[in-house]
Amino acid sequence: MKQLIVYKYIVGFAFILLGFSSCKKYSDFQTNPNLPSTATPALLLTGISYSIFYYDNTSAAFASRQLTYYERGNSNQDYSWTEGSFGNYDVLRQVMQMDSLAVQSGQQQYLGLTKFFRALLFSQMTEVFGDIPYSKALQAVSGNYKPEYDDQESVYKGLLQELDDANNLLDDSKGKINGDIIYGGAASQWKKLVNAFKLRLLIHLSKKESDANLNIKTQFQNIISNPGKYPLFTSNDDNAQLVFNSSSQNNYYPDYGYLSLSTAVSLEKGLATILKDRSDPRLFEFAEPVSGSPAGVFSSYNGVDAGLTIGDQQTTSSNASRIKSRYYDDKINEPWILMGYAEQEFLIAEAITGSMKFYGVDDADITTYLAGPMVSFNSGTALNQIAIQKYISLFMNSGWEAFTEQRRTGIPTLDVGPGTYNNGVVPKRWLYPLSEYDYNSGNLEDALQKQFGGNDDVNNVMWLLQ
């Protein structure tokens, strides 16, 4: 699964051995026999998928207050973060190269993936910053090195359309998708992911329910009411995930061998309380019991308050639960999920069972849990219940989705305090990259003025959250 970056290998030494009757022709030296001489959509897809799916979840878990880290300062732990990254544009360039090669070779099975990857990568960036270059982005070949910024509403409108296009383009009849390390080449599986992901973006837009340009309710209803046209996940077997193996170090679970994870990371107090209050058996899969206490007993598990100073966190950690050892000592552990069946079901408010089964909880315990007083459906508290369950199910998977959803709903309330930077406030966004100030300052300043009165601040509230 090594990330593949394919270059044309040219050896320009036409003068070598000139004049000898036994010399090889110049053309014989143009190709390295050990490397592919040209890129293909399949080769690029493997690298693109690896770039997107091979991800360390711990930074997001610290910011989401699912874990706490107390070895030293950490920007995602204490909310001292500043600028974010435009690194997704590097991956998008590979996506557009894959698209170009697919068009040239007539391999239409890749064109739907282009639309999906664009929607995924652009959505991640707009949710980090706000307005971003979108419609004029990736045009350097045409001479546009300073793209204008699109407002966030326009970005989302475009992304929702690209996902609809992806759904229409993906079809098994167009041929196997070679180079596919996620679904083994099945376009029908990617099609399910496309529609599940569109549900995610529509939920992210919940505060814009009345926006006639987006028609969020209609688009959502169209998907869940027409499974023939818009197929969705039906079980954990459909999860968009990267399964690890021990064939080489690059294929190990990302946190394998992470020393600090084994010595300076505990379950955060808020998540521990949520799980214990509900007698949630997933607690035993997330964390170790307090040292010297029996495993599998709820009273044996505690968390560390991430709002405390680093010193106080270190002190209280002696009576807290470390993260489960499998996260750092198992080369394979569990798959890394980009988006899974459990999240989809929470998006349409139907199930907790999918998450439970992923962690191996047996049917009897699931039945008992679902009947519990804080879990059994209550129309008066339904939205809170769903948000809490989604927060639990996203533990150590799906990247920043737990943080993004908490930012949108405010559920659960995250622990802050004297050890939290940013005046004890959970940031709403990241600053634009320094490179934009250096190379695209005019368009960046226009975007900042339109959004935030010219001020680039982590506490600014982007259009999506207003």
Side-chain angles (χ1 to χ4, degrees), residues 4-18:
L4 302 177
I5 304 175
V6 183
Y7 296 101
K8 188 173 182 181
Y9 186 88
I10 300 175
V11 182
F13 41 66
F15 57 90
I16 295 179
L17 300 181
L18 275 176

Side-chain angles (χ1 to χ4, degrees), residues 321-340:
S321 299
R322 306 249 188 221
I323 189 172
K324 194 77 171 180
S325 62
R326 65 188 173 90
Y327 287 104
Y328 55 80
D329 69 7
D330 187 342
K331 294 178 180 179
I332 299 175
N333 194 26
E334 65 195 28
W336 190 90
I337 300 174
L338 178 73
M339 184 171 185

Side-chain angles (χ1 to χ4, degrees), residues 12-85:
F13 41 66
F15 57 90
I16 295 179
L17 300 181
L18 275 176
F20 291 87
S21 60
S22 61
C23 69
K24 290 186 177 182
K25 295 184 295 183
Y26 172 73
S27 60
D28 293 333
F29 294 95
Q30 301 309 294
T31 303
N32 180 349
N34 298 316
L35 290 175
S37 59
T38 56
T40 66
L43 288 173
L44 288 174
L45 174 59
T46 302
I48 290 165
S49 298
Y50 190 87
S51 296
I52 291 171
F53 280 80
Y54 193 83
Y55 187 87
D56 178 5
N57 283 290
T58 53
S59 293
F62 297 147
S64 304
R65 292 300 193 246
Q66 294 179 331
L67 297 175
T68 183
Y69 173 77
Y70 38 81
E71 185 175 59
R72 56 185 179 275
N74 177 285
S75 63
N76 295 305
Q77 166 72 19
D78 56 31
Y79 300 132
S80 62
W81 65 55
T82 53
E83 65 177 297
S85 170

Side-chain angles (χ1 to χ4, degrees), residues 154-171:
S154 298
V155 173
Y156 270 102
K157 184 176 181 180
L159 300 183
L160 293 173
Q161 182 59 56
E162 293 205 54
L163 289 169
D164 206 41
D165 293 343
N167 177 69
N168 293 332
L169 287 165
L170 287 164
D171 194 311

